[in-house]
Amino acid sequence: MQVLLANNLMMAYNQAEAGQPKFAFVEDGFTKLPEFEMMLALFNALDVRWVSVMDDMNADPARRASPLLNVGAGIFELTKSDSPRQFIQYYDMMVNAPRRNQPGMRAASPSAPAAPRSNKMILIGSSTGGVEALRNVLVGFPPSCPPTLIVQHTGKNFGQGLVSLLDRICPAKVVSVDDNRPIEAGHVYVAAGQTRHFGMSQRKPLRTRLKDGPPISGHMPSVDALFTSAVPFARDVVATILTGMGQDGAKGLLELRKAGATTFAQDEQSSVVYGMPRVAWENGGAQKQVSLSRMANALLQACKT
């Protein structure tokens, strides 16, 4: 049995992605970092079992401190004072438990609707809880999906990891945003951790644009920046805001709706953090609230109209 050790989250992520372990012990402090969302998504994609290890019994478990961990199941909290035998028992219990079908590389979901024949494009904004939400949405897209542009709030060092993770499991081709790239069907363009805002050109044929500037709505890149750049083409846009903290994207979604776009927001029940979707619903930016399990179908069906 090979044992890998990592003293920071970035190292742990890279080792897990490359080594695809069966089991992981995770320091409780790591689970409280916002970027641990990326580790959770990778663990889910690779079906890695894991436990959180606390310093002592009086420590506040991360699952009480972070809404991200409330969606997980089978997470056990150990303390460093537990005996080696207890660690081994947990290891045996988790590793030998029935496992899901191992995730494959890019393959179309059996339930994925046929790609709509239209000139429409899909825009998505997400933040806290968004990594797992994006996995759930994009796995339902067919390989020839409408061009899809995404802004996900994440740490600057985890952008490429997110792209690789989504590309591993999604039928469509997922790429990191570059400047002046053609916007094409069958591609998902992800801006996460970039130091410039992501938008699109203001004339057709449409191309990606990365622009310098201060944070918008407190974020770089900003969902509002992406949505606002698409207003001239709003009648060809289907846009949604997924789970996240704050209000980034709500203003831009309202502008899109007023200009003729079809707009959605993730509902409260399925959101890890009902912040960005709530503001988008309350300010009138979202025409309809949709559960995460129905979001992929709602977006694709809207592209047919």
Side-chain angles (χ1 to χ4, degrees):
M1 178 178 64
Q2 184 180 17
V3 178
L4 302 175
L5 299 176
N7 58 15
N8 63 69
L9 201 55
M10 190 73 247
M11 182 185 296
Y13 185 93
N14 291 337
Q15 288 186 350
E17 185 177 35
Q20 301 189 20
K22 292 183 177 180
F23 185 83
F25 287 110
V26 182
E27 286 277 1
D28 192 58
F30 282 174
T31 68
K32 295 175 181 177
L33 298 173
E35 292 81 5
F36 189 69
E37 179 178 2
M38 284 289 299
M39 287 298 309
L40 272 182
L42 184 65
F43 285 167
N44 287 338
L46 300 179
D47 201 17
V48 176
R49 308 302 172 88
W50 66 282
V51 297
S52 173
V53 183
M54 295 182 294
D55 288 329
D56 58 68
M57 289 297 293
N58 296 321
D60 183 32
R63 66 167 60 201
R64 294 193 209 118
S66 172
L68 293 173
L69 303 190
N70 292 334
V71 299
I75 303 169
F76 296 88
E77 285 139 359
L78 305 175
T79 68
K80 290 182 178 179
S81 61
D82 287 330
S83 68
R85 178 173 295 181
Q86 288 173 296
F87 278 76
I88 293 172
Q89 288 174 341
Y90 274 112
Y91 175 86
D92 290 339
M93 176 174 28
M94 299 286 277
V95 171
N96 295 323
R99 306 179 73 82
R100 304 192 311 262
N101 291 332
Q102 282 298 107
M105 299 302 285
R106 192 180 302 113
S109 167
S111 60
R117 294 183 178 180
S118 75
N119 293 321
K120 294 196 174 181
M121 56 185 160
I122 296 172
L123 308 183
I124 301 175
S126 51
S127 186
T128 309
V131 174
E132 190 64 21
L134 289 173
R135 287 184 66 245
N136 278 274
V137 171
L138 295 181
V139 77
F141 279 18
S144 56
C145 68
T148 301
L149 287 66
I150 297 172
V151 169
Q152 163 68 37
H153 300 159
T154 191
K156 65 179 181 179
N157 294 324
F158 286 88
Q160 190 55 52
L162 174 61
V163 171
S164 298
L165 173 63
L166 295 177
D167 191 52
R168 177 193 295 273
I169 62 171
C170 297
K173 178 62 180 175
V174 182
V175 298
S176 182
V177 171
D178 291 321
D179 192 34
N180 202 32
R181 179 192 288 263
I183 296 176
E184 302 172 316
H187 287 71
V188 178
Y189 305 87
V190 178
Q194 269 96 339
T195 57
R196 292 187 286 175
H197 290 297
F198 173 33
M200 64 184 66
S201 60
Q202 298 303 288
R203 64 178 64 181
K204 295 185 177 181
L206 294 177
R207 304 181 75 88
T208 60
R209 287 288 184 262
L210 292 177
K211 293 185 177 181
D212 294 319
I216 298 174
S217 302
H219 294 280
M220 173 78 78
S222 165
V223 181
D224 272 325
L226 172 62
F227 286 0
T228 302
S229 75
V231 168
F233 315 103
R235 295 189 181 277
D236 295 329
V237 168
V238 177
T240 188
I241 291 183
L242 303 180
T243 174
M245 191 176 299
Q247 59 184 13
D248 186 26
K251 180 180 178 181
L253 196 70
L254 179 58
E255 291 184 27
L256 281 172
R257 182 181 180 183
K258 288 180 177 179
T262 302
T263 59
F264 301 102
Q266 187 175 344
D267 68 3
E268 181 174 8
Q269 185 175 5
S270 65
S271 294
V272 173
V273 177
Y274 187 58
M276 288 161 53
R278 176 185 62 78
V279 178
W281 176 248
E282 291 179 351
N283 79 348
Q287 294 170 290
K288 185 178 181 180
Q289 295 191 93
V290 179
S291 68
L292 182 60
S293 62
R294 295 181 148 189
M295 186 63 75
N297 186 62
L299 295 170
L300 293 171
Q301 290 300 318
C303 287
K304 294 181 178 182
T305 60

